[in-house]
Amino acid sequence: GVNILHGLGLFGNGVRLCEIDGGQVRGTHESLTGRVTNVETNVSINDHSTHVCGTMIAQPPAATVNGAGAQGMATQATVFSYNFFGPGDGPGLGPLQPEEKPGDAKANHLCIVCNNSWGYVGGAGQSTVFDEIVFGDYDFFSNAWDQAAIDTKIVICKASGNDRNDSAAPDGSVPYDGHDGTLFTTLVLFSPYYDCMSNWACSKNVL
């Protein structure tokens, strides 16, 4: 699909995007240089943030891998990067809650799309307040992000998550495996690879 857009001459020229992720983007990367602004600089550079930004806008200076550079989707767009930490995560991590950052990106940086390739950890046996009950649950976070989309009119994109098999057998005979991507080999589980989108991935006004 993206190749078709590139063939039509659509490369995101003049488009401003917001990314919320786990830290700063490495804006000095050769495929991103000059097109990234780290709005929040109170956390360190993060590999995942940089990787996601590359998927969004990377434009290598020359062919680098097997004769073809690894391009992003909008190779002429710019990104304004935020971290997903809020004031409750520790001193100095910023005055805004994550769901308030798309509004800041639109108001102060004229962003039209906000990408979120992250989510809160959930699943059976996870060391978190979010256990299996969070799957499919329209909760406080779902509502908060829905309200953010309504208030800001910015397009908010949200990853479905990596919890496709973080569940346990109903009778307890098979514990959660705790590792994404490892398929269960028992028939005891019911729809083990579905019903595993958690909290604000279930928001109604996000993509």
Side-chain angles (χ1 to χ4, degrees):
V2 172
N3 289 337
I4 294 175
L5 295 177
H6 288 179
L8 296 173
L10 299 175
F11 297 96
N13 185 32
V15 175
R16 294 178 168 219
L17 308 173
C18 164
E19 176 191 357
I20 300 176
D21 212 282
Q24 291 189 62
V25 171
R26 187 179 295 279
T28 57
H29 191 287
E30 64 177 9
S31 299
L32 304 173
T33 302
R35 294 187 295 126
V36 175
T37 299
N38 285 299
V39 179
E40 296 180 295
T41 57
N42 47 4
V43 291
S44 60
I45 290 174
N46 182 271
D47 288 347
H48 187 264
S49 301
T50 304
H51 161 78
V52 170
C53 188
T55 302
M56 295 168 68
I57 68 167
Q59 177 57 68
T64 55
V65 181
N66 297 325
Q71 288 186 322
M73 290 184 271
T75 56
Q76 294 178 11
T78 56
V79 162
F80 292 82
S81 174
Y82 293 74
N83 65 65
F84 53 51
F85 298 104
D89 292 307
L93 287 178
L96 297 177
Q97 296 291 354
E99 64 270 15
E100 296 175 313
K101 297 181 182 186
D104 184 83
K106 182 174 183 180
N108 295 316
H109 305 292
L110 304 180
C111 295
I112 61 172
V113 175
C114 175
N115 184 77
N116 297 269
S117 295
W118 63 279
Y120 300 110
V121 177
Q126 301 291 350
S127 57
T128 172
V129 295
F130 302 121
D131 212 314
E132 285 187 299
I133 193 173
V134 77
F135 293 148
D137 183 31
Y138 189 90
D139 61 7
F140 166 84
F141 297 104
S142 310
N143 179 262
W145 282 92
D146 265 344
Q147 195 61 52
I150 293 170
D151 292 343
T152 64
K153 304 298 189 293
I154 191 173
V155 177
I156 298 175
C157 300
K158 168 69 173 75
S160 298
N162 295 322
D163 297 306
R164 57 192 168 275
N165 60 346
D166 286 348
S167 58
D171 63 0
S173 61
V174 180
Y176 79 100
D177 71 349
H179 299 283
D180 298 324
T182 302
L183 301 181
F184 287 109
T185 58
T186 175
L187 298 179
V188 175
L189 295 175
F190 296 95
S191 300
Y193 316 121
Y194 303 97
D195 304 325
C196 55
M197 290 173 61
S198 61
N199 47 49
W200 74 281
C202 300
S203 298
K204 309 303 181 185
N205 297 313
V206 304
L207 289 178

